[in-house]
């Protein structure tokens, strides 16, 4: 089905490069008549900004060892990103749990360090490339000075924005 859709889109693009005209030089009555017609069309590609969080825990268990170290390291999560903006896109991260003061996210084009006020990272366009595999990321979550052992909801909110 995808191949048929691609073929149809290709044919339409080729035809769009040449205007279509129909002409008739048929004679009728006292003089010659001419008829012309043209077809104009365009293809609109809808904007896509999609992010799926894969392997992100809903909650984190903070232990006494984590508190002594001052941070919690979370490995295994992945980001599945699909954005078709030619200018690229912005990934925004924000710490949303008061038991954590910062979140360093490694595995992206460059590290991103977010706080409660948030932080952004501009990422390159995906246009013209095959769909990328999900990106493995690692979080280092800095604990607040008054943190106590326990289970806490996931402290990092991620969103996509236009550049």
């Amino acid at each position: 089905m995808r191949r048929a859709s691609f073929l149809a889109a290709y044919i339409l693009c080729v035809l769009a490069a040449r205007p279509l005209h129909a002409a008739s030089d048929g004679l009728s009555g006292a003089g010659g008549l001419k008829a012309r017609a043209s077809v104009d069309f365009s293809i609109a590609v809808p904007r896509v900004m999609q992010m799926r969080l894969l392997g992100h825990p809903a909650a984190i268990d903070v232990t006494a060892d984590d508190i002594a170290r001052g941070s919690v390291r979370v490995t295994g999560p992945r980001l599945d990103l699909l954005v078709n903006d030619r200018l690229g896109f912005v990934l925004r991260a924000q710490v949303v749990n008061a038991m954590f003061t910062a979140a360093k996210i490694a595995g992206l084009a460059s590290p991103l360090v977010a706080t409660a006020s948030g932080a952004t990272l501009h990422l390159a366009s995906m246009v013209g490339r095959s769909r990328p595999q999900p990106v493995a990321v690692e979080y280092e979550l800095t604990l607040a000075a008054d943190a106590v052992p326990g289970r806490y909801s996931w402290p990092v909110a991620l969103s996509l924005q236009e550049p």
Side-chain angles (χ1 to χ4, degrees):
M1 182 67 177
R2 275 192 170 177
R3 187 172 185 175
S5 296
F6 175 78
L7 184 58
Y10 177 77
I11 290 170
L12 289 174
C13 288
V14 169
L15 291 176
R18 302 184 338 230
L20 298 175
H21 297 288
S24 172
D25 291 331
L27 295 175
S28 170
L33 297 176
K34 280 192 169 186
R36 287 188 83 93
S38 65
V39 176
D40 293 326
F41 68 92
S42 64
I43 297 174
V45 178
R47 181 175 302 208
V48 176
M49 292 188 81
Q50 176 184 321
M51 175 175 53
R52 290 186 315 146
L53 304 179
L54 306 173
H56 283 70
I60 297 177
D61 292 317
V62 175
T63 65
D65 289 340
D66 296 328
I67 292 173
R69 196 173 35 257
S71 66
V72 177
R73 186 173 300 272
V74 180
T75 60
R78 295 173 298 143
L79 296 178
D80 186 14
L81 302 168
L82 181 62
V83 180
N84 68 351
D85 193 319
R86 291 193 175 280
L87 299 175
F89 60 101
V90 174
L91 177 66
R92 177 174 169 69
Q94 182 178 8
V95 176
V96 293
N97 186 321
M99 284 297 129
F100 301 89
T101 58
K104 181 178 181 182
I105 306 170
L108 302 168
S110 63
L112 176 62
V113 179
T115 62
S117 60
T120 59
L121 176 63
H122 186 274
L123 296 165
S125 174
M126 297 178 171
V127 174
R129 301 179 192 165
S130 59
R131 183 177 180 144
Q133 293 296 313
V135 177
V137 292
E138 181 176 297
Y139 294 87
E140 184 176 347
L141 307 168
T142 305
L143 292 162
D146 60 347
V148 295
R151 177 163 254 211
Y152 298 98
S153 62
W154 181 251
V156 182
L158 299 174
S159 62
L160 295 179
Q161 300 174 344
E162 295 177 5

